[in-house]
């Protein structure tokens, strides 16, 4: 499974007990699922280019990294994973915060194309893209932001996008939670959000509509631009 279908109910991770994808990067199963979002698209990209051999794959990765604005964000992220940073020796863009080459590549990755799936609110793919990026490269990101982004990722993957009111409510939970119990309170708030979302979708189906019914906005393509990841 590369990612859930739009409108699907979030599932539980058998290893960490939270919603699938939301336990990354600490939970190995969730981390593999998040990486699969990127790797699945890269595998399809290689098939389209009929690539054979590690040398050709590396050459293709270099080409993609040089022109991120021409490719889907998942392809760009996967390409960077296959290149070595000349400064720190880690995967390009995945090295420690403060590494010049990694920080530069991490910024340029946001020039990539983000295409919303049919039936999702405009900007859903951008939200997924940013949260996946944070989960896969938490270096230099505050612990609280990583917490919120990883826990919301399972809902975003099913087509959810927080309203202003919902985002403000989550921010209030974060601010009011004592540091030692912040993870518990934020996880509880996300679980309540997931329950509300499930009830809304059941009501829509009962009324004969769905997130993918006719009349929903068509898929949109956008680029966030360098220096504007959120």
């Amino acid at each position: 499974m590369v990612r859930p279908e739009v409108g699907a109910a979030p599932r539980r991770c058998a290893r960490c007990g939270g919603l699938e994808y939301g336990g990354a990067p600490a939970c190995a199963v969730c981390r593999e699922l998040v990486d699969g979002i990127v790797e699945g698209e890269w595998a399809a990209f290689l098939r389209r280019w009929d690539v054979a051999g590690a040398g050709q794959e590396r050459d293709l990765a270099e080409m993609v990294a040089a022109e991120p604005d021409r490719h889907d964000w998942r392809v760009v992220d996967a390409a960077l994973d296959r290149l070595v940073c000349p400064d720190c020796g880690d995967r390009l863009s995945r090295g420690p915060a403060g590494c010049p080459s990694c920080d530069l590549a991490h910024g340029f990755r946001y020039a990539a194309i983000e295409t919303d799936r049919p039936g999702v609110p405009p900007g859903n793919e951008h939200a997924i893209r940013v949260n996946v990026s944070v989960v896969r490269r938490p270096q230099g990101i505050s612990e609280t932001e990583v917490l919120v982004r990883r826990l919301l990722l399972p809902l975003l993957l099913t087509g959810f996008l927080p309203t202003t009111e919902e985002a403000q409510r989550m921010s209030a939970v974060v601010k009011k939670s004592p540091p030692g119990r912040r993870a518990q309170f934020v996880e509880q708030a996300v679980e309540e959000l997931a329950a509300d979302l499930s009830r809304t979708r059941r009501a829509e189906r009962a009324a004969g509509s769905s997130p993918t019914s006719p009349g929903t906005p068509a898929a949109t393509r956008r680029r966030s631009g360098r220096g504007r990841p959120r």
Side-chain angles (χ1 to χ4, degrees):
M1 179 177 68
V2 176
R3 67 161 107 180
E5 296 289 336
V6 173
R11 303 196 309 181
R12 293 283 171 189
C13 173
R15 177 158 185 166
C16 69
L19 299 179
E20 284 185 335
Y21 300 87
C27 171
V29 172
C30 289
R31 185 171 65 247
E32 185 175 349
L33 287 171
V34 174
D35 286 340
I37 295 172
V38 170
E39 290 300 316
E41 190 65 17
W42 179 254
F45 185 69
L46 293 184
R47 289 193 294 271
R48 290 195 296 272
W49 280 77
D50 194 24
V51 170
Q56 287 187 6
E57 184 176 2
R58 185 174 57 255
D59 290 343
L60 190 60
E62 290 175 349
M63 180 198 75
V64 170
E67 49 182 29
D69 58 317
R70 299 184 60 183
H71 303 281
D72 183 271
W73 69 267
R74 294 163 293 180
V75 172
V76 172
D77 280 15
L80 293 175
D81 282 347
R82 284 156 174 80
L83 301 176
V84 177
C85 174
D87 292 323
C88 70
D90 204 336
R91 287 175 289 179
L92 187 59
S93 85
R94 300 281 292 276
C99 171
S101 294
C102 282
D103 286 350
L104 185 64
H106 181 62
F108 278 117
R109 80 192 323 146
Y110 287 101
I113 295 169
E114 300 162 353
T115 305
D116 282 322
R117 295 165 292 171
V120 303
N124 170 260
E125 190 68 17
H126 176 65
I128 291 172
R129 191 269 177 283
V130 174
N131 286 31
V132 167
S133 175
V134 168
V135 168
R136 297 183 84 227
R137 191 194 190 243
Q139 301 94 313
I141 308 295
S142 73
E143 184 178 340
T144 298
E145 182 174 353
V146 174
L147 170 68
V148 174
R149 290 195 179 278
R150 72 172 177 83
L151 290 177
L152 281 176
L153 180 58
L155 305 189
L156 299 175
L157 288 168
T158 67
F160 170 75
L161 190 66
T163 63
T164 300
E165 181 183 353
E166 287 165 338
Q168 290 173 342
R169 194 184 313 147
M170 185 64 64
S171 178
V173 170
V174 170
K175 290 176 181 177
K176 293 177 181 178
S177 302
R181 302 186 64 189
R182 183 164 293 154
Q184 175 189 344
F185 288 155
V186 173
E187 186 168 4
Q188 181 180 341
V190 171
E191 292 281 356
E192 292 171 356
L193 201 55
D196 289 344
L197 180 62
S198 179
R199 284 192 292 270
T200 299
R201 286 173 171 169
R202 285 199 300 269
E204 288 174 343
R205 287 193 291 268
S209 64
S210 74
T212 53
S213 348
T216 52
T220 56
R221 287 156 62 95
R222 60 177 284 178
R223 297 185 182 91
S224 57
R226 186 176 183 273
R228 186 176 162 270
R230 292 179 286 279

